[in-house]
Amino acid sequence: MEGVTKEKCLAEQQQQPQPQSKLLKTWNRPDIRREPRRILGWTLARWLLLVSNIVLFLYGMFFLLASVVTYSKGYEHAVVIVVANEDILAVTFVAALLAVITSIVGLVGIRWKDRRILGIYVLLLWPCFALLSAVGYLSYKGDVWNLRAKLGMQWRYDFSPEDQVLLQDNLHCCGFDNPHDHATYYDRCWPESLLPGCDYKFYLFEHEFLTKTYTVTFCLVPVHILIIIISLLCSNHVDHLFGSRSRPYIAYLGRFNDWRDWEQYQLRQKQLQENKIPGSSSSSSSSTLPPSQPEPILTRARTTCTNHDQYITPRHSHEKN
């Protein structure tokens, strides 16, 4: 086989006719083979990423604002949540803040079609999922594992006198079971007070709060899993370039597309020499094998360089017995 230079191989590839189709657009880019259909100028994967990112931003921002309002005691019973559910409130705040940051990173990656930023966005979705699950687990465990007894232990051994005053003032009660049971006295609570104990009101509020918390959280878990799946499947397809570039030039293959083309070319040349067919051209790229001939298997190719030009000198192939 005669040596084939790289420039000659590239020239032959450019001279080959390209199929013309309305669905195959190059946009004056020789390295792009096809252009997928778009919706309002964006690919379908990009739209899915945008919608899922907006959903993540919405519920992340909702819980972030709710946590800030609770910390600032912006509604009636916010004091009870801050005092009695400090761990759940802290995890919720961190999860919501991380979800907002993750959604902003995702929006930047979608806007600039940057796969590296979208890769960071996909990674950040997993800590968000872990924190979201932690909120649901903490609230569910607190509600179903003997809530009334745990509230009594908290009141008697965990809450400070200042915390007890805040809870008694907000729930309009005095002491836990009665005004003589671990009560912190102030101007509205004293031993002869007619206010009831905080046990019943405290239990009802905590049960309702924890039930709503884990119900909403566990409803958001499949939504977040869907967002992760969409980000994994669509982040590489944010534009039309992924998987659409033509095969790069391979020096040891020359003008052939793959090894099978080279083997078929060698077999055809051998048959032409044996049959001595007149007028045959040795520059034909490939030909079909006769059904009676087995397909040869290529062992390897040897490449040598001479006079700054790269020549291809494949070794002889052998047929599989």
Side-chain angles (χ1 to χ4, degrees), residues 34-55:
R34 70 182 300 273
E35 171 72 10
R37 293 181 178 179
R38 298 185 172 215
I39 303 174
L40 299 178
W42 283 17
T43 60
L44 178 60
R46 197 176 179 188
W47 279 111
L48 290 175
L49 280 173
L50 180 64
V51 172
S52 62
N53 194 275
I54 290 175
V55 173

Side-chain angles (χ1 to χ4, degrees), residues 4-295:
V4 181
T5 62
K6 177 180 178 180
E7 291 77 8
K8 184 177 179 180
C9 295
L10 292 176
E12 290 179 358
Q13 289 180 358
Q14 293 177 358
Q15 291 176 1
Q16 294 179 359
Q18 301 293 335
Q20 299 293 332
S21 175
K22 294 182 178 180
L23 299 180
L24 302 177
K25 301 177 183 180
T26 60
W27 296 90
N28 298 324
R29 292 279 299 276
D31 58 338
I32 300 175
R33 292 187 302 174
R34 70 182 300 273
E35 171 72 10
R37 293 181 178 179
R38 298 185 172 215
I39 303 174
L40 299 178
W42 283 17
T43 60
L44 178 60
R46 197 176 179 188
W47 279 111
L48 290 175
L49 280 173
L50 180 64
V51 172
S52 62
N53 194 275
I54 290 175
V55 173
L56 176 66
F57 178 81
L58 288 178
Y59 70 74
M61 183 59 69
F62 173 79
F63 284 111
L64 181 62
L65 294 177
S67 301
V68 172
V69 172
T70 303
Y71 273 121
S72 61
K73 302 175 184 178
Y75 51 95
E76 182 180 2
H77 294 302
V79 175
V80 182
I81 299 175
V82 173
V83 173
N85 303 283
E86 185 179 2
D87 53 347
I88 296 177
L89 186 58
V91 177
T92 303
F93 177 79
V94 175
L97 181 62
L98 184 59
V100 172
I101 294 175
T102 302
S103 63
I104 293 174
V105 173
L107 287 175
V108 173
I110 295 170
R111 171 62 182 84
W112 297 107
K113 297 183 288 187
D114 194 324
R115 295 188 183 89
R116 290 173 296 183
I117 298 178
L118 289 175
I120 299 174
Y121 163 71
V122 174
L123 290 177
L124 290 176
L125 286 174
W126 292 100
C128 294
F129 173 73
L131 291 172
L132 184 65
S133 302
V135 173
Y137 171 74
L138 290 174
S139 56
Y140 180 78
K141 182 186 72 171
D143 182 53
V144 300
W145 289 4
N146 200 356
L147 176 60
R148 190 181 294 272
K150 285 189 295 185
L151 293 179
M153 295 295 292
Q154 273 187 312
W155 184 278
R156 293 180 176 93
Y157 301 106
D158 294 339
F159 293 157
S160 64
E162 292 78 10
D163 295 336
Q164 292 179 353
V165 169
L166 290 174
L167 292 176
Q168 290 174 157
D169 184 61
N170 188 269
L171 296 175
H172 304 287
C173 56
C174 185
F176 189 71
D177 287 331
N178 51 69
H180 298 280
D181 182 15
H182 293 81
T184 300
Y185 300 127
Y186 67 109
D187 56 352
R188 294 185 181 180
C189 176
W190 59 92
E192 291 78 15
S193 175
L194 298 179
L195 291 175
C198 298
D199 180 16
Y200 181 70
K201 292 183 178 180
F202 195 21
Y203 171 78
L204 288 182
F205 177 83
E206 283 294 301
H207 175 67
E208 182 181 4
F209 169 74
L210 294 175
T211 302
K212 290 181 179 179
T213 301
Y214 74 73
T215 301
V216 174
T217 303
F218 288 150
C219 288
L220 286 177
V221 165
V223 177
H224 195 86
I225 293 176
L226 182 61
I227 292 174
I228 293 177
I229 294 174
I230 291 175
S231 64
L232 289 172
L233 295 178
C234 300
S235 59
N236 280 330
H237 302 278
V238 70
D239 56 16
H240 60 279
L241 296 179
F242 182 80
S244 61
R245 295 183 183 274
S246 59
R247 179 183 65 83
Y249 175 77
I250 303 177
Y252 53 80
L253 284 181
R255 67 174 180 269
F256 305 106
N257 293 326
D258 50 24
W259 292 112
R260 186 177 296 274
D261 288 347
W262 183 87
E263 292 172 349
Q264 291 177 354
Y265 175 82
Q266 292 295 320
L267 182 61
R268 180 59 179 170
Q269 290 297 105
K270 183 178 179 180
Q271 291 176 353
L272 291 176
Q273 290 179 2
E274 291 177 355
N275 299 331
K276 296 181 180 180
I277 299 177
S280 62
S281 175
S282 62
S283 62
S284 60
S285 61
S286 63
S287 61
T288 59
L289 289 173
S292 61
Q293 296 290 339
E295 295 184 0

